[in-house]
Amino acid sequence: METDTDTHYASVNTDMTKPLLKTDNSLRELGENEVLVKIHSAPINPSDTYNARGVYGMLGGSTDGHGIGFDGAGEVLKVGKGVDEGLVGKRVAVGQLPFTPGYEGSWRQYLITLKDNLMIYPDDADFDKICSSFVNPITVCTFLHHIEKNKYKAIIQTAASSSLGKMLHRLCLDKDVKIINIVRKDEQVKALEDLGSTHTVNSNSETFKEDLAKAIEELQPTALFDPVGGELSKTILMSMPTFSTLYIYGSLDTTGTFTYNNRELLSKRATLMTVFATDLAKFCTPEELQSYYELVSKDIYEGGKIFGTEVVSTHPLSDFEKAIAEREASASQGKIILKPWE
């Protein structure tokens, strides 16, 4: 692969059904408030593979097709009008979340993005460790915003063994918020107990409903953060106290649906909400948003006690198919990372 920015460079794009390697990209001129980043590490998130299959529709803004990748890390090479020249040479994490203006996708060697999509790190930061600074951490910070705003004392989460689920669990421990973790396997129960969980329930257990009811009776959670959907969501919400809220942030159960009638919702005084990490800026002030960015970057740089993610393996950009397959097989173990310059 060429390294001269005046020549063609590579990226992984999608035709809305599957990812494809594209090697004839060329750089455009930077616009106002834009920066050029040389991407060194880009993780594979579940949302990236959904994007590759067109789940989010066509994300506009790219000059060379529909890109893939919502997270990444690299070095700022050039800045456009309105951007401090002092950013050149800085190590940064990049977040291009769904429907971010000017979206190109981080699975590429060079990325042009708005400076507001950057999280700045010290010069010795590890690209592999900081490349997952946005999608999961900022989603979890969005949850934290709702938790603190609504003064939730206890919550429930499904898919608790995922990288994001473990982050939310650790953050709740740090913030003294009680949490019930829902998983699908006994070994995942053990893994979360090793992380300090006192209330982890296996949804595939024969005693799931009884175990869930016991945990809910003890902790009285009033918020459910759920990326799964289907009947599991309804079963949990209908078991929770009145005035509980279901926060939907994914759809892992792609074949399942849930239905409520008005009587059920009225009897529970239940609320349904959807949550995207991109919404955080709409819920808080610029100062609050910056404080969340600092919370994440400080934690990751200092070792990732809350927001850190284990790196399972790295792959050259051209091996993206192998990397995606490995991610599917090791989703709960940590991140698979693409290395565009290897």
Side-chain angles (χ1 to χ4, degrees):
M1 295 180 179
E2 298 285 343
T3 59
D4 187 339
T5 57
D6 292 329
T7 62
H8 293 162
Y9 69 95
S11 70
V12 178
N13 288 22
T14 178
D15 65 357
M16 307 299 283
T17 63
K18 63 182 182 300
L20 304 163
L21 186 66
K22 181 177 172 65
T23 59
D24 59 348
N25 301 290
S26 58
L27 291 171
R28 60 176 174 82
E29 291 295 320
L30 295 181
E32 188 168 359
N33 293 321
E34 288 187 327
V35 298
L36 172 64
V37 180
K38 181 177 181 179
I39 298 295
H40 288 272
S41 302
I44 301 176
N45 295 303
S47 53
D48 297 323
T49 55
Y50 297 156
N51 176 25
R53 298 194 299 269
V55 171
Y56 301 123
M58 178 62 77
L59 304 184
S62 176
T63 59
D64 51 28
H66 180 31
I68 308 174
F70 296 136
D71 260 328
E75 175 188 0
V76 177
L77 296 184
K78 187 178 179 181
V79 299
K81 183 179 179 180
V83 183
D84 186 349
E85 288 282 349
L87 268 181
V88 175
K90 292 293 185 181
R91 295 195 174 202
V92 295
V94 181
Q96 285 201 313
L97 302 174
F99 313 111
T100 299
Y103 175 82
E104 288 187 338
S106 61
W107 293 9
R108 62 181 56 230
Q109 291 178 310
Y110 295 110
L111 172 65
I112 294 176
T113 189
L114 294 171
K115 69 176 178 64
D116 291 341
N117 296 334
L118 304 181
M119 197 177 290
I120 302 170
Y121 277 89
D123 294 341
D124 61 346
D126 185 316
F127 290 123
D128 288 355
K129 292 181 179 178
I130 71 173
C131 71
S132 297
S133 293
F134 277 91
V135 172
N136 286 347
I138 298 304
T139 299
V140 171
C141 285
T142 306
F143 299 164
L144 175 62
H145 180 81
H146 287 292
I147 289 169
E148 294 183 332
K149 177 183 176 182
N150 294 289
K151 299 180 180 179
Y152 295 130
K153 302 298 183 183
I155 69 169
I156 303 177
Q157 70 159 332
T158 59
S161 66
S162 67
S163 294
L164 185 150
K166 291 173 183 174
M167 287 182 193
L168 180 57
H169 166 73
R170 295 190 294 257
L171 184 63
C172 284
L173 291 183
D174 186 70
K175 299 294 183 180
D176 197 27
V177 176
K178 305 299 182 183
I179 183 169
I180 299 172
N181 293 304
I182 308 297
V183 297
R184 296 182 300 167
K185 301 176 182 178
D186 286 337
E187 55 265 35
Q188 294 170 341
V189 173
K190 177 62 167 58
L192 279 163
E193 288 177 344
D194 290 344
L195 293 177
S197 176
T198 57
H199 296 79
T200 304
V201 182
N202 183 350
S203 61
N204 286 324
S205 168
E206 293 182 356
T207 60
F208 169 60
K209 291 186 177 181
E210 292 85 349
D211 296 338
L212 177 65
K214 181 179 179 181
I216 289 175
E217 176 64 26
E218 181 178 347
L219 299 187
Q220 293 294 298
T222 49
L224 165 61
F225 294 92
D226 174 49
V228 179
E231 283 298 316
L232 178 64
S233 299
K234 180 175 181 179
T235 296
I236 298 172
L237 183 61
M238 290 296 104
S239 301
M240 294 172 67
T242 55
F243 299 103
S244 292
T245 300
L246 165 60
Y247 293 90
I248 301 166
Y249 70 96
S251 184
L252 295 176
D253 184 356
T254 56
T255 61
T257 61
F258 60 81
T259 58
Y260 297 91
N261 61 49
N262 285 3
R263 183 179 300 174
E264 288 175 315
L265 293 176
L266 286 168
S267 67
K268 299 296 293 187
R269 310 295 198 276
T271 301
L272 308 183
M273 289 189 64
T274 55
V275 182
F276 271 104
T278 47
D279 296 338
L280 183 58
K282 298 178 177 64
F283 293 139
C284 61
T285 65
E287 293 75 21
E288 288 173 328
L289 182 63
Q290 185 59 37
S291 72
Y292 286 124
Y293 279 18
E294 291 174 357
L295 173 69
V296 171
S297 60
K298 183 175 186 293
D299 175 80
I300 292 177
Y301 180 69
E302 293 180 351
K305 176 183 175 183
I306 296 172
F307 299 105
T309 301
E310 187 73 21
V311 175
V312 177
S313 65
T314 64
H315 298 264
L317 195 66
S318 57
D319 284 350
F320 67 90
E321 291 178 322
K322 177 182 177 182
I324 291 172
E326 185 175 347
R327 194 219 71 82
E328 297 292 342
S330 60
S332 64
Q333 297 176 28
K335 289 296 182 184
I336 309 298
I337 295 175
L338 294 174
K339 305 288 287 184
W341 293 98
E342 291 184 0

